[in-house]
Amino acid sequence: MKVGARNQIVGTVKAVKQGDVMSQVTLEVPASEMASVMTTDSLAELGLAPGDRVRVVVKAIHVLLLKE
Amino acid sequence: MKVGARNQIVGTVKAVKQGDVMSQVTLEVPASEMASVMTTDSLAELGLAPGDRVRVVVKAIHVLLLKE
Amino acid sequence: MKVGARNQIVGTVKAVKQGDVMSQVTLEVPASEMASVMTTDSLAELGLAPGDRVRVVVKAIHVLLLKE
Amino acid sequence: MKVGARNQIVGTVKAVKQGDVMSQVTLEVPASEMASVMTTDSLAELGLAPGDRVRVVVKAIHVLLLKE
Amino acid sequence: MKVGARNQIVGTVKAVKQGDVMSQVTLEVPASEMASVMTTDSLAELGLAPGDRVRVVVKAIHVLLLKE
Amino acid sequence: MKVGARNQIVGTVKAVKQGDVMSQVTLEVPASEMASVMTTDSLAELGLAPGDRVRVVVKAIHVLLLKE
């Protein structure tokens, strides 16, 4: 499946923090770590657990640059 | 300066594609490549050119996960 | 493939408007019409043309409600 | 009132799930179902309850396309 | 009309920069200046011109904080 | 540090509402009030408390306009 976003990387679920409405997933990606927040409903639907492989997707318009 | 976002990585500008209203910056980050889209006004203000070091920031709520 | 987003619907590409950096895709979805904006690079990668079937995805945090 | 977004549809509130900071609203829209996440403060301000009619708004840049 | 977003302010259109797919609107708001980017289609639909009064809306999840 | 976003203003933290996964920060900005939602992890990292000065950043693509 092709995804219409510039930023895509394969990662592994490191930890899941389940909240009332929103949940947070921490991910290991090559050379770094990332985090994703989704609804707790989406978390249940994906059935994510530590060790799972996921595709991590971010549209380019959501990427902010800072320069010293 | 501390930034209130879960995803932060240092990258290097690889290419700049300037458009009429929006512009696209391609970045080299450790073990991967990323892209950011901002207004052409912001691009001018940052004065980005290939080789520049930037901090790349993404809020966790903008990160989407896909699972096979 | 499972997608970690609350809003998903299958649509058909109706029209593509290619811009310098960003492009716009108009979609027919059941009982309505939608639009997506992505980078022109992503458009090329997806290779979208009228008639193509796509999955349309929106995270719930991007949905705004207005009440009269 | 005119809204500067490509995606607009009228929906009916189906369910409300109130969280500590964020809340989730499930919506019935023609031929489908949608979900919106907002702050619990915004939910209170809108005073949303099942059966309420709302206008559902999504900017086109928040719409992601996937193609098989 | 009530809008389900924490950040709302009334502003006046100062300038419009029309692009091929996306357009930029500069706004005067009390004590500051803001900018909005939307599709050129949405700009046409709103029919915005300098001097127009608009309501400026931002969901709280899109607001990033930086601390020295 | 330069930030690649059109909307930037200096504000003062007025209140912090800490949730399980997401937290909300209310801000006083010149002539108005704003709110930001971030992960509770980011809140802890920023160490925000009432009275703190912060830079408030919003990308122009996240600004929606409504016209009467």
Side-chain angles (χ1 to χ4, degrees):
Chain A
M1 181 168 286
K2 289 183 190 166
V3 179
R6 289 293 78 203
N7 301 289
Q8 300 184 40
I9 196 168
V10 173
T12 306
V13 175
K14 189 184 169 186
V16 172
K17 184 185 177 188
Q18 191 171 325
D20 51 8
V21 170
M22 302 304 283
S23 292
Q24 185 174 339
V25 178
T26 312
L27 304 150
E28 282 170 356
V29 294
S32 183
E33 200 172 288
M34 291 186 72
S36 167
V37 167
M38 68 194 71
T39 59
T40 301
D41 285 358
S42 281
L43 179 73
E45 205 169 271
L46 289 184
L48 291 181
D52 283 355
R53 271 170 63 92
V54 289
R55 210 197 293 194
V56 185
V57 173
V58 179
K59 289 193 73 164
I61 51 110
H62 289 138
V63 177
L64 177 73
L65 300 187
L66 281 68
K67 190 182 164 192
E68 307 278 344
Chain B
M1 180 168 285
K2 288 183 191 166
V3 179
R6 289 294 78 203
N7 301 289
Q8 299 184 42
I9 197 168
V10 173
T12 305
V13 175
K14 187 183 169 187
V16 173
K17 183 184 178 188
Q18 192 172 324
D20 52 7
V21 169
M22 304 303 283
S23 291
Q24 185 174 340
V25 178
T26 312
L27 304 149
E28 282 171 356
V29 294
S32 183
E33 202 173 289
M34 292 186 71
S36 166
V37 167
M38 68 194 72
T39 60
T40 301
D41 285 357
S42 281
L43 179 73
E45 204 169 272
L46 289 183
L48 291 180
D52 284 355
R53 271 170 62 91
V54 289
R55 210 195 296 191
V56 185
V57 173
V58 178
K59 291 194 72 165
I61 50 111
H62 288 141
V63 178
L64 177 73
L65 300 187
L66 280 68
K67 190 182 166 191
E68 307 279 346
Chain C
M1 180 168 287
K2 289 183 190 166
V3 179
R6 289 293 79 203
N7 301 289
Q8 298 184 41
I9 197 169
V10 173
T12 305
V13 175
K14 187 183 170 187
V16 173
K17 182 184 177 188
Q18 191 172 324
D20 52 7
V21 170
M22 303 304 283
S23 291
Q24 185 175 340
V25 178
T26 312
L27 303 150
E28 282 171 355
V29 294
S32 182
E33 200 172 290
M34 291 186 71
S36 166
V37 167
M38 68 194 72
T39 59
T40 301
D41 284 357
S42 281
L43 179 73
E45 205 169 271
L46 289 183
L48 291 180
D52 283 355
R53 271 169 62 92
V54 289
R55 208 195 298 192
V56 185
V57 173
V58 179
K59 290 193 70 164
I61 50 112
H62 288 140
V63 177
L64 177 73
L65 301 187
L66 279 69
K67 190 183 166 190
E68 308 277 345
Chain D
M1 180 168 287
K2 288 182 192 167
V3 179
R6 288 294 79 204
N7 301 289
Q8 299 184 41
I9 197 169
V10 174
T12 305
V13 175
K14 187 184 170 188
V16 173
K17 183 184 176 187
Q18 192 170 324
D20 52 7
V21 169
M22 303 304 283
S23 291
Q24 185 174 340
V25 178
T26 311
L27 303 149
E28 282 170 356
V29 294
S32 183
E33 200 172 290
M34 291 186 72
S36 167
V37 167
M38 67 194 72
T39 59
T40 301
D41 285 357
S42 281
L43 179 73
E45 205 169 271
L46 289 184
L48 291 181
D52 284 355
R53 271 169 62 92
V54 288
R55 208 195 298 192
V56 186
V57 174
V58 179
K59 290 193 70 163
I61 51 113
H62 288 139
V63 177
L64 177 74
L65 301 187
L66 280 68
K67 190 183 165 191
E68 309 278 346
Chain E
M1 180 167 287
K2 289 183 190 166
V3 179
R6 288 295 78 203
N7 301 289
Q8 299 185 40
I9 197 168
V10 173
T12 305
V13 174
K14 188 184 169 187
V16 173
K17 183 185 177 185
Q18 191 171 325
D20 52 8
V21 170
M22 303 304 283
S23 291
Q24 185 174 339
V25 178
T26 312
L27 304 150
E28 283 171 354
V29 294
S32 182
E33 201 171 289
M34 291 186 72
S36 166
V37 167
M38 69 194 71
T39 59
T40 300
D41 285 357
S42 281
L43 179 73
E45 203 169 273
L46 289 184
L48 291 181
D52 284 355
R53 271 170 63 91
V54 289
R55 210 196 294 193
V56 185
V57 173
V58 179
K59 291 194 71 163
I61 50 111
H62 289 139
V63 177
L64 177 73
L65 301 186
L66 281 67
K67 190 182 165 193
E68 308 277 347
Chain F
M1 182 169 285
K2 287 183 192 167
V3 179
R6 289 293 78 203
N7 301 288
Q8 298 185 41
I9 197 167
V10 173
T12 305
V13 175
K14 187 183 170 187
V16 173
K17 182 185 179 187
Q18 192 172 324
D20 53 6
V21 169
M22 303 304 282
S23 291
Q24 186 174 339
V25 178
T26 312
L27 304 150
E28 282 171 354
V29 293
S32 183
E33 202 173 288
M34 291 186 72
S36 167
V37 167
M38 68 194 73
T39 59
T40 301
D41 284 356
S42 281
L43 179 73
E45 204 169 272
L46 289 182
L48 291 180
D52 283 355
R53 271 170 62 91
V54 289
R55 209 196 295 192
V56 185
V57 173
V58 179
K59 290 193 71 164
I61 50 111
H62 288 140
V63 177
L64 177 73
L65 300 187
L66 282 68
K67 190 182 166 192
E68 308 277 346

